C-alpha cells in the first residue's frame, strides 16, 4: 500500500516537472512588453512580462476623446487591446518553435503513467535522496498525510476556477483597479471627480491604484499558495522513502 502511494506520488512529481518545463518554455516566448489603446486613443496600457498592466496613462486631451463616465471602461478596453497584441505576437513565436510536437508527446505520456498503460508496468526509479537524518513517523500517519496530499492535488483543477482577485485604490479612493493573475478585470473611476482632473492628476491616481493592486495581489497569491506542496511534499517523500528502505522496522 505504501509502495503504491509513493510510486503514485513520484509519477505525479515527474508529470508535474514535465508540465512545469513545458510551461516555462511557453512563458519564454511571451513578449516582455505589450501596449494597447482604446478606440478613441484616450488611454494607453502597457503590459509587463506577467501580463498585468505595468503602466496606465491617459492622453493629455483625454476629455476630448472620452466622457468622464466612460474613462474606466476605456482603461479596460486598452488593456484588452494590449492583451490581443501580446497573444498575437506570442502565437507567432510559438508556431516557430517545437511546442506542438512536445505537447503531443506530453499528452501521449500522461495516460501511460496514470491510467495503467504500458509505462505503468515500469514505474519510475526511486530518486536518490539523503535520508540519513530522516526520522519517519509511524507508517499509518505518513500514509494518511500522503493520501491527503494526493487528494489536494486532485482538487487543484476544481479550485483553479476560484481565481485570486485584488482591488487597489488611489490615495483619494477615486480610482479602483481590480486585477487577477495575468489580467485586469475592472477599472472604476469616479466620473464627477474625473471631470475636473488633468491628465497629470489622472495618471498619478491610476499609478497609485495600480501599485496598490499589484501589492495586494502578491499578498493574496502568497496566502493561496500555502498548502501541501514544496517543503511539505518533499518531507513526505523522504519519510516514505525511508520507510520503504526498512518497512519492517517502521511497521512495528
Amino acid at each position: 500500500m505504501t509502495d503504491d502511494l509513493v510510486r503514485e506520488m513520484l509519477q505525479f512529481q515527474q508529470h508535474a516537472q514535465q508540465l512545469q518545463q513545458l510551461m516555462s518554455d511557453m512563458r519564454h516566448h511571451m513578449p516582455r512588453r505589450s501596449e494597447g489603446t482604446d478606440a478613441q486613443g484616450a488611454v494607453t496600457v502597457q503590459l509587463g512580462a506577467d501580463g498585468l498592466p505595468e503602466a496606465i496613462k491617459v492622453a493629455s486631451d483625454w476629455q476630448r476623446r472620452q466622457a468622464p463616465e466612460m474613462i474606466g471602461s476605456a482603461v479596460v478596453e486598452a488593456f484588452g487591446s494590449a492583451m490581443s497584441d501580446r497573444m498575437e505576437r506570442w502565437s507567432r513565436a510559438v508556431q516557430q518553435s517545437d511546442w506542438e510536437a512536445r505537447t503531443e508527446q506530453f499528452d501521449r505520456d500522461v495516460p501511460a503513467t496514470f491510467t495503467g498503460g504500458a509505462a505503468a508496468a515500469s514505474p519510475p526509479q526511486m530518486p536518490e535522496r539523503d535520508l540519513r537524518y530522516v526520522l519517519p513517523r509511524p507508517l499509518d500517519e505518513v500514509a494518511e498525510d500522503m493520501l491527503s496530499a494526493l487528494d489536494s492535488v486532485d482538487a487543484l483543477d476544481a479550485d483553479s476556477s476560484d481565481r485570486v482577485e485584488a482591488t487597489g485604490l488611489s490615495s483619494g479612493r477615486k480610482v479602483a483597479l481590480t486585477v487577477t493573475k495575468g489580467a485586469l478585470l475592472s477599472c472604476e473611476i469616479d466620473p464627477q471627480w474625473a471631470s475636473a482632473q488633468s491628465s497629470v492628476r489622472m495618471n498619478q491616481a491610476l499609478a497609485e491604484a495600480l501599485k496598490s493592486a499589484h501589492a495586494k495581489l502578491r499578498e493574496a497569491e502568497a496566502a493561496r499558495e500555502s498548502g501541501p506542496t514544496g517543503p511539505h511534499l518533499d518531507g513526505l517523500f523522504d519519510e516514505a522513502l525511508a520507510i520503504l528502505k526498512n518497512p519492517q522496522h517502521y511497521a512495528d
Side-chain angles (χ1 to χ4, degrees):
M1 180 66 171
T2 304
D3 183 80
D4 290 340
L5 282 172
V6 172
R7 291 188 187 281
E8 185 175 352
M9 292 189 75
L10 289 172
Q11 288 168 347
F12 166 75
Q13 186 183 46
Q14 289 186 350
H15 175 75
Q17 288 172 344
Q18 291 172 0
L19 180 60
Q20 185 178 31
Q21 184 60 52
L22 283 172
M23 297 304 293
S24 176
D25 293 344
M26 178 181 177
R27 286 193 296 269
H28 176 73
H29 291 291
M30 278 289 185
R32 304 299 296 175
R33 295 287 185 276
S34 302
E35 187 173 290
T37 62
D38 65 307
Q40 284 70 38
V43 180
T44 298
V45 171
Q46 297 174 351
L47 303 183
D50 60 359
L52 284 171
E54 194 172 65
I56 303 174
K57 296 185 180 298
V58 299
S60 58
D61 60 346
W62 72 269
Q63 290 176 321
R64 182 177 64 83
R65 298 170 183 267
Q66 284 282 10
E69 61 269 19
M70 296 300 296
I71 194 64
S73 297
V75 171
V76 176
E77 182 183 344
F79 168 78
S81 175
M83 184 60 73
S84 294
D85 173 65
R86 171 183 169 88
M87 297 309 294
E88 288 174 6
R89 290 198 286 143
W90 172 78
S91 180
R92 289 195 298 269
V94 168
Q95 288 175 1
Q96 297 172 2
S97 70
D98 61 346
W99 171 258
E100 185 174 356
R102 293 178 62 192
T103 301
E104 291 175 352
Q105 181 61 48
F106 179 78
D107 289 340
R108 286 194 295 268
D109 291 343
V110 172
T113 303
F114 294 100
T115 63
S122 302
Q125 184 177 1
M126 295 297 180
E128 289 295 330
R129 302 176 73 117
D130 186 357
L131 305 176
R132 290 174 297 173
Y133 307 107
V134 176
L135 298 175
R137 294 165 294 156
L139 186 149
D140 58 341
E141 293 183 21
V142 175
E144 183 177 353
D145 278 1
M146 291 178 69
L147 286 171
S148 296
L150 288 172
D151 287 341
S152 297
V153 168
D154 291 337
L156 286 178
D157 288 339
D159 292 341
S160 62
S161 61
D162 301 328
R163 62 187 178 187
V164 176
E165 299 179 6
T167 298
L169 300 173
S170 62
S171 59
R173 306 180 71 84
K174 301 298 184 181
V175 177
L177 294 172
T178 300
V179 298
T180 188
K181 187 174 183 178
L184 170 67
L185 299 179
S186 67
C187 175
E188 298 178 8
I189 300 177
D190 184 330
Q192 185 175 359
W193 171 84
S195 64
Q197 305 306 311
S198 67
S199 61
V200 174
R201 179 65 190 111
M202 284 283 287
N203 287 331
Q204 181 182 353
L206 284 164
E208 291 170 353
L210 185 58
K211 182 178 180 180
S212 173
H214 275 265
K216 290 183 178 179
L217 183 61
R218 286 194 297 269
E219 292 175 1
E221 288 181 335
R224 174 83 176 259
E225 289 172 1
S226 59
T229 57
H232 176 71
L233 195 55
D234 286 342
L236 281 177
F237 276 130
D238 288 343
E239 285 188 277
L241 290 173
I243 290 173
L244 286 177
K245 285 182 176 294
N246 193 357
Q248 190 60 43
H249 173 76
Y250 293 108
D252 291 341

